[in-house]
Each structure stands twice: as structure tokens, then as C-alpha cells.
mmCIF file of all heavy atoms in Angstrom:
data_model
loop_
_atom_site.group_PDB
_atom_site.id
_atom_site.type_symbol
_atom_site.label_atom_id
_atom_site.label_comp_id
_atom_site.label_asym_id
_atom_site.label_seq_id
_atom_site.Cartn_x
_atom_site.Cartn_y
_atom_site.Cartn_z
ATOM 1 N N PRO A 1468 0.828 -1.210 0.000
ATOM 2 C CA PRO A 1468 0.000 0.000 0.000
ATOM 3 C C PRO A 1468 0.863 1.261 0.000
ATOM 4 O O PRO A 1468 1.991 1.276 0.514
ATOM 5 C CB PRO A 1468 -0.807 -0.123 1.305
ATOM 6 C CG PRO A 1468 -0.823 -1.595 1.600
ATOM 7 C CD PRO A 1468 0.518 -2.091 1.140
ATOM 8 N N ALA A 1469 0.336 2.315 -0.581
ATOM 9 C CA ALA A 1469 1.096 3.554 -0.780
ATOM 10 C C ALA A 1469 1.796 4.072 0.471
ATOM 11 O O ALA A 1469 2.949 4.512 0.394
ATOM 12 C CB ALA A 1469 0.170 4.623 -1.361
ATOM 13 N N PRO A 1470 1.188 4.060 1.664
ATOM 14 C CA PRO A 1470 1.867 4.636 2.827
ATOM 15 C C PRO A 1470 3.175 3.943 3.210
ATOM 16 O O PRO A 1470 3.979 4.524 3.949
ATOM 17 C CB PRO A 1470 0.832 4.481 3.949
ATOM 18 C CG PRO A 1470 -0.487 4.380 3.261
ATOM 19 C CD PRO A 1470 -0.184 3.639 1.999
ATOM 20 N N TYR A 1471 3.402 2.720 2.715
ATOM 21 C CA TYR A 1471 4.555 1.940 3.159
ATOM 22 C C TYR A 1471 5.619 1.779 2.075
ATOM 23 O O TYR A 1471 6.639 1.126 2.296
ATOM 24 C CB TYR A 1471 4.085 0.553 3.634
ATOM 25 C CG TYR A 1471 2.922 0.673 4.582
ATOM 26 C CD1 TYR A 1471 1.626 0.365 4.174
ATOM 27 C CD2 TYR A 1471 3.099 1.161 5.877
ATOM 28 C CE1 TYR A 1471 0.548 0.519 5.029
ATOM 29 C CE2 TYR A 1471 2.021 1.321 6.737
ATOM 30 C CZ TYR A 1471 0.755 0.993 6.305
ATOM 31 O OH TYR A 1471 -0.324 1.172 7.151
ATOM 32 N N ARG A 1472 5.417 2.402 0.921
ATOM 33 C CA ARG A 1472 6.339 2.199 -0.196
ATOM 34 C C ARG A 1472 7.704 2.832 0.032
ATOM 35 O O ARG A 1472 8.728 2.280 -0.372
ATOM 36 C CB ARG A 1472 5.714 2.734 -1.483
ATOM 37 C CG ARG A 1472 4.509 1.918 -1.919
ATOM 38 C CD ARG A 1472 3.822 2.506 -3.121
ATOM 39 N NE ARG A 1472 2.543 1.841 -3.360
ATOM 40 C CZ ARG A 1472 1.622 2.281 -4.205
ATOM 41 N NH1 ARG A 1472 1.834 3.389 -4.894
ATOM 42 N NH2 ARG A 1472 0.495 1.613 -4.355
ATOM 43 N N ALA A 1473 7.749 3.976 0.690
ATOM 44 C CA ALA A 1473 9.048 4.613 0.943
ATOM 45 C C ALA A 1473 9.896 3.744 1.868
ATOM 46 O O ALA A 1473 11.101 3.577 1.658
ATOM 47 C CB ALA A 1473 8.847 5.999 1.544
ATOM 48 N N ALA A 1474 9.278 3.169 2.896
ATOM 49 C CA ALA A 1474 10.014 2.328 3.847
ATOM 50 C C ALA A 1474 10.507 1.048 3.203
ATOM 51 O O ALA A 1474 11.529 0.485 3.622
ATOM 52 C CB ALA A 1474 9.124 2.001 5.039
ATOM 53 N N LEU A 1475 9.791 0.562 2.179
ATOM 54 C CA LEU A 1475 10.146 -0.678 1.502
ATOM 55 C C LEU A 1475 10.576 -0.390 0.073
ATOM 56 O O LEU A 1475 10.265 -1.131 -0.853
ATOM 57 C CB LEU A 1475 8.962 -1.653 1.538
ATOM 58 C CG LEU A 1475 8.488 -2.031 2.952
ATOM 59 C CD1 LEU A 1475 7.257 -2.921 2.879
ATOM 60 C CD2 LEU A 1475 9.598 -2.717 3.726
ATOM 61 N N GLY A 1476 11.331 0.690 -0.094
ATOM 62 C CA GLY A 1476 11.718 1.145 -1.421
ATOM 63 C C GLY A 1476 13.106 0.747 -1.862
ATOM 64 O O GLY A 1476 13.572 1.238 -2.885
ATOM 65 N N TYR A 1477 13.778 -0.113 -1.118
ATOM 66 C CA TYR A 1477 15.131 -0.523 -1.466
ATOM 67 C C TYR A 1477 15.120 -1.861 -2.189
ATOM 68 O O TYR A 1477 14.143 -2.608 -2.116
ATOM 69 C CB TYR A 1477 15.996 -0.608 -0.199
ATOM 70 C CG TYR A 1477 16.197 0.727 0.468
ATOM 71 C CD1 TYR A 1477 15.231 1.235 1.334
ATOM 72 C CD2 TYR A 1477 17.327 1.497 0.219
ATOM 73 C CE1 TYR A 1477 15.388 2.477 1.934
ATOM 74 C CE2 TYR A 1477 17.496 2.739 0.813
ATOM 75 C CZ TYR A 1477 16.527 3.222 1.667
ATOM 76 O OH TYR A 1477 16.682 4.445 2.255
ATOM 77 N N ARG A 1478 16.198 -2.150 -2.896
ATOM 78 C CA ARG A 1478 16.339 -3.431 -3.585
ATOM 79 C C ARG A 1478 17.726 -3.979 -3.280
ATOM 80 O O ARG A 1478 18.683 -3.746 -4.019
ATOM 81 C CB ARG A 1478 16.145 -3.271 -5.099
ATOM 82 C CG ARG A 1478 14.755 -2.817 -5.522
ATOM 83 C CD ARG A 1478 13.693 -3.859 -5.199
ATOM 84 N NE ARG A 1478 12.380 -3.329 -5.503
ATOM 85 C CZ ARG A 1478 11.625 -2.639 -4.661
ATOM 86 N NH1 ARG A 1478 12.072 -2.402 -3.433
ATOM 87 N NH2 ARG A 1478 10.457 -2.169 -5.009
ATOM 88 N N ASN A 1479 17.850 -4.667 -2.164
ATOM 89 C CA ASN A 1479 19.138 -5.252 -1.805
ATOM 90 C C ASN A 1479 19.475 -6.409 -2.734
ATOM 91 O O ASN A 1479 18.629 -7.257 -3.012
ATOM 92 C CB ASN A 1479 19.101 -5.748 -0.364
ATOM 93 C CG ASN A 1479 19.110 -4.620 0.646
ATOM 94 O OD1 ASN A 1479 20.091 -3.896 0.756
ATOM 95 N ND2 ASN A 1479 18.019 -4.457 1.379
ATOM 96 N N LYS A 1480 20.716 -6.423 -3.206
ATOM 97 C CA LYS A 1480 21.168 -7.534 -4.025
ATOM 98 C C LYS A 1480 21.557 -8.737 -3.180
ATOM 99 O O LYS A 1480 21.600 -9.865 -3.671
ATOM 100 C CB LYS A 1480 22.357 -7.097 -4.884
ATOM 101 C CG LYS A 1480 22.003 -6.055 -5.935
ATOM 102 C CD LYS A 1480 23.224 -5.692 -6.760
ATOM 103 C CE LYS A 1480 22.883 -4.649 -7.813
ATOM 104 N NZ LYS A 1480 24.084 -4.261 -8.602
ATOM 105 N N GLN A 1481 21.831 -8.477 -1.899
ATOM 106 C CA GLN A 1481 22.172 -9.548 -0.982
ATOM 107 C C GLN A 1481 21.546 -9.283 0.384
ATOM 108 O O GLN A 1481 21.288 -8.133 0.750
ATOM 109 C CB GLN A 1481 23.699 -9.659 -0.810
ATOM 110 C CG GLN A 1481 24.437 -10.141 -2.044
ATOM 111 C CD GLN A 1481 25.928 -10.246 -1.777
ATOM 112 O OE1 GLN A 1481 26.550 -9.326 -1.265
ATOM 113 N NE2 GLN A 1481 26.518 -11.387 -2.131
ATOM 114 N N ILE A 1482 21.316 -10.374 1.114
ATOM 115 C CA ILE A 1482 20.877 -10.293 2.508
ATOM 116 C C ILE A 1482 21.838 -11.134 3.342
ATOM 117 O O ILE A 1482 22.015 -12.330 3.079
ATOM 118 C CB ILE A 1482 19.443 -10.825 2.694
ATOM 119 C CG1 ILE A 1482 18.438 -9.998 1.883
ATOM 120 C CG2 ILE A 1482 19.055 -10.806 4.167
ATOM 121 C CD1 ILE A 1482 17.018 -10.545 1.940
ATOM 122 N N ALA A 1483 22.461 -10.507 4.324
ATOM 123 C CA ALA A 1483 23.318 -11.249 5.242
ATOM 124 C C ALA A 1483 22.451 -12.068 6.190
ATOM 125 O O ALA A 1483 21.411 -11.600 6.645
ATOM 126 C CB ALA A 1483 24.199 -10.280 6.029
ATOM 127 N N VAL A 1484 22.896 -13.274 6.492
ATOM 128 C CA VAL A 1484 22.117 -14.195 7.319
ATOM 129 C C VAL A 1484 22.755 -14.331 8.700
ATOM 130 O O VAL A 1484 23.941 -14.657 8.822
ATOM 131 C CB VAL A 1484 22.012 -15.585 6.652
ATOM 132 C CG1 VAL A 1484 21.247 -16.556 7.553
ATOM 133 C CG2 VAL A 1484 21.327 -15.461 5.297
ATOM 134 N N LEU A 1485 21.958 -14.062 9.717
ATOM 135 C CA LEU A 1485 22.385 -14.298 11.091
ATOM 136 C C LEU A 1485 22.363 -15.796 11.367
ATOM 137 O O LEU A 1485 21.326 -16.443 11.201
ATOM 138 C CB LEU A 1485 21.435 -13.603 12.069
ATOM 139 C CG LEU A 1485 21.433 -12.071 12.070
ATOM 140 C CD1 LEU A 1485 20.092 -11.553 12.581
ATOM 141 C CD2 LEU A 1485 22.554 -11.547 12.938
ATOM 142 N N PHE A 1486 23.496 -16.340 11.791
ATOM 143 C CA PHE A 1486 23.559 -17.761 12.133
ATOM 144 C C PHE A 1486 23.272 -17.901 13.615
ATOM 145 O O PHE A 1486 24.031 -17.426 14.464
ATOM 146 C CB PHE A 1486 24.937 -18.339 11.800
ATOM 147 C CG PHE A 1486 25.051 -19.809 12.102
ATOM 148 C CD1 PHE A 1486 24.656 -20.752 11.160
ATOM 149 C CD2 PHE A 1486 25.538 -20.247 13.326
ATOM 150 C CE1 PHE A 1486 24.760 -22.114 11.433
ATOM 151 C CE2 PHE A 1486 25.635 -21.603 13.613
ATOM 152 C CZ PHE A 1486 25.247 -22.539 12.664
ATOM 153 N N GLN A 1487 22.158 -18.569 13.947
ATOM 154 C CA GLN A 1487 21.726 -18.626 15.334
ATOM 155 C C GLN A 1487 22.413 -19.746 16.105
ATOM 156 O O GLN A 1487 22.518 -20.876 15.627
ATOM 157 C CB GLN A 1487 20.217 -18.816 15.427
ATOM 158 C CG GLN A 1487 19.702 -18.723 16.856
ATOM 159 C CD GLN A 1487 18.225 -19.023 16.937
ATOM 160 O OE1 GLN A 1487 17.844 -20.162 17.110
ATOM 161 N NE2 GLN A 1487 17.408 -18.004 16.815
ATOM 162 N N VAL A 1488 22.849 -19.406 17.327
ATOM 163 C CA VAL A 1488 23.515 -20.363 18.207
ATOM 164 C C VAL A 1488 22.678 -20.530 19.473
ATOM 165 O O VAL A 1488 22.755 -19.718 20.397
ATOM 166 C CB VAL A 1488 24.932 -19.885 18.571
ATOM 167 C CG1 VAL A 1488 25.635 -20.923 19.444
ATOM 168 C CG2 VAL A 1488 25.748 -19.618 17.308
ATOM 169 N N PRO A 1489 21.846 -21.570 19.554
ATOM 170 C CA PRO A 1489 21.063 -21.814 20.778
ATOM 171 C C PRO A 1489 21.935 -22.325 21.908
ATOM 172 O O PRO A 1489 23.119 -22.621 21.723
ATOM 173 C CB PRO A 1489 20.030 -22.850 20.327
ATOM 174 C CG PRO A 1489 20.656 -23.532 19.154
ATOM 175 C CD PRO A 1489 21.538 -22.530 18.488
ATOM 176 N N TYR A 1490 21.339 -22.460 23.083
ATOM 177 C CA TYR A 1490 22.083 -22.820 24.289
ATOM 178 C C TYR A 1490 22.924 -24.082 24.125
ATOM 179 O O TYR A 1490 24.048 -24.171 24.618
ATOM 180 C CB TYR A 1490 21.131 -23.052 25.471
ATOM 181 C CG TYR A 1490 20.187 -21.939 25.804
ATOM 182 C CD1 TYR A 1490 18.876 -22.209 26.213
ATOM 183 C CD2 TYR A 1490 20.570 -20.599 25.737
ATOM 184 C CE1 TYR A 1490 17.994 -21.199 26.548
ATOM 185 C CE2 TYR A 1490 19.702 -19.580 26.057
ATOM 186 C CZ TYR A 1490 18.402 -19.881 26.463
ATOM 187 O OH TYR A 1490 17.528 -18.881 26.780
ATOM 188 N N SER A 1491 22.360 -25.077 23.462
ATOM 189 C CA SER A 1491 22.988 -26.403 23.469
ATOM 190 C C SER A 1491 23.822 -26.708 22.228
ATOM 191 O O SER A 1491 24.370 -27.813 22.118
ATOM 192 C CB SER A 1491 21.911 -27.488 23.624
ATOM 193 O OG SER A 1491 20.956 -27.389 22.580
ATOM 194 N N MET A 1492 23.968 -25.771 21.313
ATOM 195 C CA MET A 1492 24.732 -26.067 20.099
ATOM 196 C C MET A 1492 26.220 -26.222 20.422
ATOM 197 O O MET A 1492 26.824 -25.352 21.060
ATOM 198 C CB MET A 1492 24.555 -24.959 19.061
ATOM 199 C CG MET A 1492 25.394 -25.164 17.807
ATOM 200 S SD MET A 1492 25.134 -23.907 16.543
ATOM 201 C CE MET A 1492 23.559 -24.447 15.862
ATOM 202 N N PRO A 1493 26.843 -27.296 19.969
ATOM 203 C CA PRO A 1493 28.286 -27.452 20.183
ATOM 204 C C PRO A 1493 29.063 -26.326 19.499
ATOM 205 O O PRO A 1493 28.721 -25.897 18.386
ATOM 206 C CB PRO A 1493 28.592 -28.807 19.530
ATOM 207 C CG PRO A 1493 27.284 -29.531 19.512
ATOM 208 C CD PRO A 1493 26.248 -28.472 19.313
ATOM 209 N N VAL A 1494 30.111 -25.858 20.157
ATOM 210 C CA VAL A 1494 30.925 -24.781 19.584
ATOM 211 C C VAL A 1494 31.544 -25.223 18.261
ATOM 212 O O VAL A 1494 31.734 -24.406 17.344
ATOM 213 C CB VAL A 1494 32.003 -24.337 20.590
ATOM 214 C CG1 VAL A 1494 32.963 -23.331 19.955
ATOM 215 C CG2 VAL A 1494 31.353 -23.718 21.830
ATOM 216 N N ALA A 1495 31.822 -26.506 18.118
ATOM 217 C CA ALA A 1495 32.375 -27.016 16.860
ATOM 218 C C ALA A 1495 31.437 -26.739 15.687
ATOM 219 O O ALA A 1495 31.893 -26.486 14.560
ATOM 220 C CB ALA A 1495 32.644 -28.519 16.976
ATOM 221 N N ASP A 1496 30.126 -26.763 15.944
ATOM 222 C CA ASP A 1496 29.160 -26.469 14.887
ATOM 223 C C ASP A 1496 29.205 -24.985 14.505
ATOM 224 O O ASP A 1496 28.969 -24.630 13.343
ATOM 225 C CB ASP A 1496 27.745 -26.839 15.335
ATOM 226 C CG ASP A 1496 27.531 -28.344 15.419
ATOM 227 O OD1 ASP A 1496 28.471 -29.095 15.086
ATOM 228 O OD2 ASP A 1496 26.437 -28.764 15.811
#
């Protein structure tokens, strides 16, 4: 909708991904 176009007006060629580490994930992973 028109009111939100400025906020969503970019076109990223890439998105960096946050790699999530929960409590029990081994550090080796």
C-alpha cells in the first residue's frame, strides 16, 4: 500500500544471514 512504499523502497542484491547459536549447540558447529 502507498503509505509503506518509501520504507520498503530498497532493492538489496544480498541479505546477510544471522547464524543462530542456541544454548545447546556445540561450539564445533
Side-chain angles (χ1 to χ4, degrees):
Y1471 311 105
R1472 292 175 190 169
L1475 301 176
Y1477 295 83
R1478 296 295 175 271
N1479 288 294
K1480 294 181 180 178
Q1481 292 181 310
I1482 298 175
V1484 178
L1485 293 155
F1486 181 86
Q1487 187 185 90
V1488 182
Y1490 305 142
S1491 58
M1492 176 177 283
V1494 173
D1496 289 358

